Amino acid sequence: MSLETVSTNRSHGGTQGVYRHASAETGTPMTFSVFVPDHAPGAKLPVLWYLSGLTCTHANVTEKGEFREACARHGVVFIAPDTSPRGDDVPDDEAYDFGKGAGFYVDATEQPWAVNFRMRSYIERELPDLVTREFPVDMARQGITGHSMGGHGALTVALRNPGRFRSVSAFAPIVSPLACSWGDKALTGYLGPDRAAWREYDACALIADGARLSDLLVDQGTADGFLDDQLKTALLVEACEAAGQPATIRMQDGYDHSYYFISTFLPEHVAWHAERLRA
Amino acid sequence: MSLETVSTNRSHGGTQGVYRHASAETGTPMTFSVFVPDHAPGAKLPVLWYLSGLTCTHANVTEKGEFREACARHGVVFIAPDTSPRGDDVPDDEAYDFGKGAGFYVDATEQPWAVNFRMRSYIERELPDLVTREFPVDMARQGITGHSMGGHGALTVALRNPGRFRSVSAFAPIVSPLACSWGDKALTGYLGPDRAAWREYDACALIADGARLSDLLVDQGTADGFLDDQLKTALLVEACEAAGQPATIRMQDGYDHSYYFISTFLPEHVAWHAERLRA
């Protein structure tokens, strides 16, 4: 598999790159960004994955996330994938919350989505394999975070792959697709009506079913317009308490769902991950 | 004059706002952004102006500048105006470097530009008056910076208004419109062919003609594709040396003309301004 360099820019004492490759999983070109801090020749750095939310591509966090200074300081590679397959041949939906830009990090089983919407396998296997070959990364030291739909992605990928991630955090995650209309629409569409098949894509259900993380950090803004109807942070608090899952879940006063919120706390998350990745 | 609030978002322990007002100078609605750090009731904070470059609006630095953490930490209000009048009734040029998005911070004297393109008076008088009335600012403590065309703006506004700014810096500024094709095209178009009339819009000429700043900080990337033909940092170095103008002009290895460059050094500029504004 060949890797095409779309752009590189020097920033904060490192290199912010954007790359494209032909994905076997999605059957499409996929674009992602990687920030690599300057490092000693031959060194391999720990990795922080960032999964983005509805409507986003790699570009939103790459341009607005304010993570590079912290990544350079702590020596952490930052990887931001896209949120779905793209292209004229990929099926889509008119709504912002289904189809392109809304892959929900699942392997779809329903048609016409099952052909291209294989974001679970892309994020869990194909992209890590590519990154391992192409970048100076130590895959024994991985952390994962994400925002909204990508917070859901980070939590569920980590819960399904015990031991892979030394650190897991999220910003305003969808904590239970089983319990919100975004999840209901997307998982019905991608996976069909059997809700038992959804549980491996639901952080609260995975925790209730016995999956565990070593630790968890979540930030959620109190002025987030999606909090009550879609994100439902309280369900994650309850699931963690019921299961004895250690978690620090912080309500941030006055913050909303935007990158103005994410960029405020992402540097602190990078430091939190780095502490665990470099331990 | 009434001020319309377009949006406010909590960010980095302050409020990032976007505002619109009817400008008497440009005869159009004008949009600008203001970041106000949390502060004690009744307190008035120092101000840092940021003038943007070609094609930009307030939004570029507001979204990509990474200045808020530093402004919140140092208690500095950050103001980002637009780069030209906008709207269907405003004359324009097909090129990116003249007309809308390319006001060059001049008061145009040539038609059809003279009616709306009054960015000098807008930035020097109208917007400061509005900001003084509407925001918790101490206008005795102002700094100014900017990027590219906005670096030219920051330098020339400061050089023409001795004593107004306690601190002046720039990122990859156009240092001499008299000596580059961007300047030649824009100032011919806005001011006419008499190059003597351009000198008050040329930082190097203003310094040669006797204007002075108390101090000056400039960052310029060595990989900036506009360095040799348009920005010509060396002319500013020569002008400062010839005139005895104190200046710290830094060539930053490998950095280009983008916000990946600006965001790397803007926090340091904020701290540099704050040191002088809070002295």
Side-chain angles (χ1 to χ4, degrees):
Chain A
M1 187 184 314
S2 70
L3 185 67
E4 175 192 352
T5 299
V6 177
S7 63
T8 60
N9 297 84
R10 184 149 182 79
S11 192
H12 285 290
T15 301
Q16 180 63 62
V18 177
Y19 306 92
R20 188 161 42 215
H21 70 116
S23 165
E25 290 291 351
T26 68
T28 65
M30 292 290 287
T31 303
F32 63 99
S33 78
V34 181
F35 177 71
V36 179
D38 291 352
H39 55 280
K44 292 189 178 298
L45 305 181
V47 174
L48 179 58
W49 295 86
Y50 179 96
L51 304 185
S52 292
L54 288 168
T55 77
C56 290
T57 69
H58 72 281
N60 304 69
V61 72
T62 304
E63 296 177 355
K64 302 179 184 178
E66 303 190 18
F67 58 85
R68 279 177 286 271
E69 192 278 330
C71 284
R73 180 151 38 94
H74 296 289
V76 173
V77 169
F78 189 97
I79 305 178
D82 203 346
T83 55
S84 79
R86 311 267 177 188
D88 292 344
D89 296 335
V90 174
D92 198 12
D93 183 271
E94 286 182 2
Y96 75 98
D97 57 359
F98 190 58
K100 291 179 193 173
F104 270 83
Y105 305 101
V106 307
D107 282 350
T109 53
E110 297 290 297
Q111 297 302 344
W113 313 102
V115 178
N116 305 111
F117 284 75
R118 297 187 50 79
M119 290 300 293
R120 172 180 175 170
S121 291
Y122 177 71
I123 295 294
E124 289 187 359
R125 289 199 305 269
E126 185 177 24
L127 189 56
D129 288 351
L130 178 69
V131 163
T132 302
R133 288 195 303 275
E134 300 283 353
F135 294 92
V137 291
D138 175 4
M139 297 300 262
R141 294 183 289 157
Q142 294 183 71
I144 191 166
T145 187
H147 172 234
S148 195
M149 178 184 75
H152 145 75
L155 293 173
T156 55
V157 169
L159 285 161
R160 283 193 309 264
N161 292 276
R164 179 184 295 193
F165 299 98
R166 290 198 191 178
S167 52
V168 183
S169 76
F171 296 84
I174 300 170
V175 305
S176 179
L178 280 158
C180 69
S181 60
W182 276 346
D184 198 59
K185 176 179 181 179
L187 297 194
T188 300
Y190 293 134
L191 303 176
D194 176 10
R195 295 166 70 89
W198 301 11
R199 294 186 71 82
E200 62 183 342
Y201 296 113
D202 184 297
C204 289
L206 284 162
I207 291 170
D209 293 348
R212 288 292 178 277
L213 307 170
S214 60
D215 198 357
L216 174 60
L217 173 64
V218 173
D219 276 315
Q220 171 64 55
T222 62
D224 185 328
F226 299 114
L227 174 54
D228 293 342
D229 291 341
Q230 304 289 355
L231 308 174
K232 301 190 179 183
T233 316
L235 295 179
L236 183 63
V237 174
E238 289 166 20
C240 290
E241 285 177 359
Q245 166 66 54
T248 302
I249 300 174
R250 310 187 298 193
M251 301 304 291
Q252 300 289 2
D253 192 39
Y255 287 86
D256 61 22
H257 200 64
S258 72
Y259 272 90
Y260 293 110
F261 156 64
I262 300 168
S263 63
T264 300
F265 298 103
L266 185 46
E268 190 179 335
H269 280 233
V270 170
W272 186 89
H273 284 270
E275 193 179 325
R276 285 150 183 80
L277 295 172
R278 295 199 157 275
Chain B
M1 187 184 313
S2 71
L3 185 68
E4 174 191 355
T5 300
V6 176
S7 64
T8 60
N9 297 83
R10 184 150 183 79
S11 193
H12 285 290
T15 301
Q16 179 62 63
V18 177
Y19 306 92
R20 187 160 45 215
H21 69 116
S23 166
E25 290 293 350
T26 68
T28 65
M30 291 292 286
T31 303
F32 62 100
S33 78
V34 181
F35 177 71
V36 180
D38 291 352
H39 56 279
K44 291 188 179 299
L45 305 181
V47 174
L48 179 57
W49 295 86
Y50 179 95
L51 303 185
S52 292
L54 287 167
T55 77
C56 289
T57 69
H58 72 282
N60 304 68
V61 71
T62 304
E63 296 177 356
K64 302 179 183 177
E66 305 190 15
F67 57 85
R68 278 177 287 272
E69 192 278 331
C71 285
R73 179 150 40 92
H74 295 290
V76 173
V77 169
F78 189 97
I79 305 178
D82 204 346
T83 54
S84 80
R86 310 268 178 187
D88 293 343
D89 296 337
V90 174
D92 198 12
D93 184 90
E94 285 181 6
Y96 74 97
D97 57 359
F98 190 58
K100 292 179 192 175
F104 270 82
Y105 305 101
V106 306
D107 282 349
T109 53
E110 296 291 295
Q111 296 303 344
W113 313 102
V115 179
N116 304 112
F117 284 75
R118 296 187 51 78
M119 289 301 293
R120 171 180 176 171
S121 291
Y122 177 72
I123 295 294
E124 288 188 359
R125 288 199 305 270
E126 186 178 24
L127 189 55
D129 288 350
L130 178 68
V131 163
T132 303
R133 288 196 304 275
E134 301 283 351
F135 294 91
V137 291
D138 175 5
M139 297 299 264
R141 293 183 291 158
Q142 295 182 71
I144 191 166
T145 187
H147 172 233
S148 195
M149 177 185 74
H152 145 76
L155 293 173
T156 55
V157 169
L159 286 162
R160 283 193 309 263
N161 291 274
R164 180 185 293 194
F165 300 97
R166 291 198 191 178
S167 52
V168 182
S169 77
F171 296 83
I174 300 169
V175 305
S176 179
L178 280 158
C180 68
S181 61
W182 278 346
D184 198 59
K185 176 179 181 180
L187 298 194
T188 301
Y190 292 134
L191 304 176
D194 176 10
R195 294 168 70 92
W198 301 10
R199 294 186 70 82
E200 61 182 344
Y201 295 112
D202 184 295
C204 289
L206 283 162
I207 291 169
D209 292 349
R212 288 293 177 274
L213 307 170
S214 58
D215 199 356
L216 173 61
L217 173 64
V218 173
D219 277 314
Q220 171 64 54
T222 63
D224 185 327
F226 300 114
L227 174 54
D228 292 342
D229 290 341
Q230 304 289 355
L231 308 173
K232 302 190 178 183
T233 315
L235 296 179
L236 182 64
V237 173
E238 289 167 19
C240 288
E241 285 177 359
Q245 166 66 54
T248 302
I249 300 174
R250 310 188 298 193
M251 301 304 290
Q252 300 288 0
D253 190 39
Y255 287 86
D256 61 21
H257 201 63
S258 73
Y259 272 91
Y260 293 110
F261 156 64
I262 300 167
S263 63
T264 300
F265 298 103
L266 186 45
E268 189 179 337
H269 280 233
V270 170
W272 185 89
H273 284 270
E275 193 179 325
R276 286 150 182 80
L277 295 173
R278 295 198 157 276

